Amino acid sequence: MNAKGDLIARALSLGLGAPEFEVSSDGPPHQRTFHVTVRIGGEALGEGGSGRSRKDAERAAADSALRVLDGEPMADTEEVLDEAPAGRWPIYAGVLEAALETATEFADEDATLDDVRRDAGRLYRELLLDLGHGPDPL
């Protein structure tokens, strides 16, 4: 598996643009530790990665970002959705269609319709929140 290549292909196929890999390192030259953060559209995706080589750190960061794209939320994503205001969310047909297609595409083979709906709803809310839209007050 080539996690970095898979992430780049998936991000581009979803129309998210190419991911950027921000690399930093610390420690003495003979014991360097690399830290990588993956950013797509300026936003960190996943928990990043660390390793003894740049390649290992990039692979770990790409794995983390792929898990997020597969529907495993980052720790702070759940908090954002839990804190989202209650109310009626606006319907933007194109955004909703894209969320449904993405949820269907990445659903496990044994996923139920409710699983796909839940994932699509989560993706839709995340997209609207990222765009600065929230629910209309009740």
Side-chain angles (χ1 to χ4, degrees):
M1 180 177 145
N2 175 3
K4 186 175 178 183
D6 291 346
L7 175 63
I8 292 169
R10 175 121 21 113
L12 291 174
S13 73
L14 293 172
L16 302 174
E20 298 174 8
F21 293 80
E22 294 179 356
V23 181
S24 63
S25 63
D26 57 28
H30 64 283
Q31 279 187 312
R32 184 89 48 212
T33 300
F34 292 86
H35 307 281
V36 175
T37 301
V38 175
R39 294 192 180 278
I40 297 180
E43 297 292 323
L45 188 64
E47 298 173 2
S50 297
R52 301 283 297 161
S53 71
R54 179 182 179 139
K55 185 176 180 179
D56 288 344
E58 286 178 342
R59 184 181 307 121
D63 280 337
S64 177
L66 282 167
R67 284 193 305 275
V68 170
L69 291 177
D70 285 339
E72 295 178 27
M74 292 175 21
D76 63 349
T77 301
E78 284 297 315
E79 293 171 13
V80 169
L81 292 178
D82 289 341
E83 295 172 5
R88 185 179 174 123
W89 288 81
I91 302 297
Y92 298 107
V95 177
L96 183 56
E97 179 182 6
L100 285 167
E101 287 176 4
T102 302
T104 302
E105 180 180 342
F106 293 108
D108 292 332
E109 289 181 13
D110 60 343
T112 66
L113 182 57
D114 286 337
D115 292 335
V116 175
R117 282 186 200 150
R118 183 176 46 254
D119 290 343
R122 180 186 49 78
L123 287 169
Y124 184 73
R125 288 188 310 269
E126 287 176 2
L127 285 168
L128 290 184
L129 287 172
D130 286 347
L131 294 170
H133 297 275
D136 296 328
L138 294 174

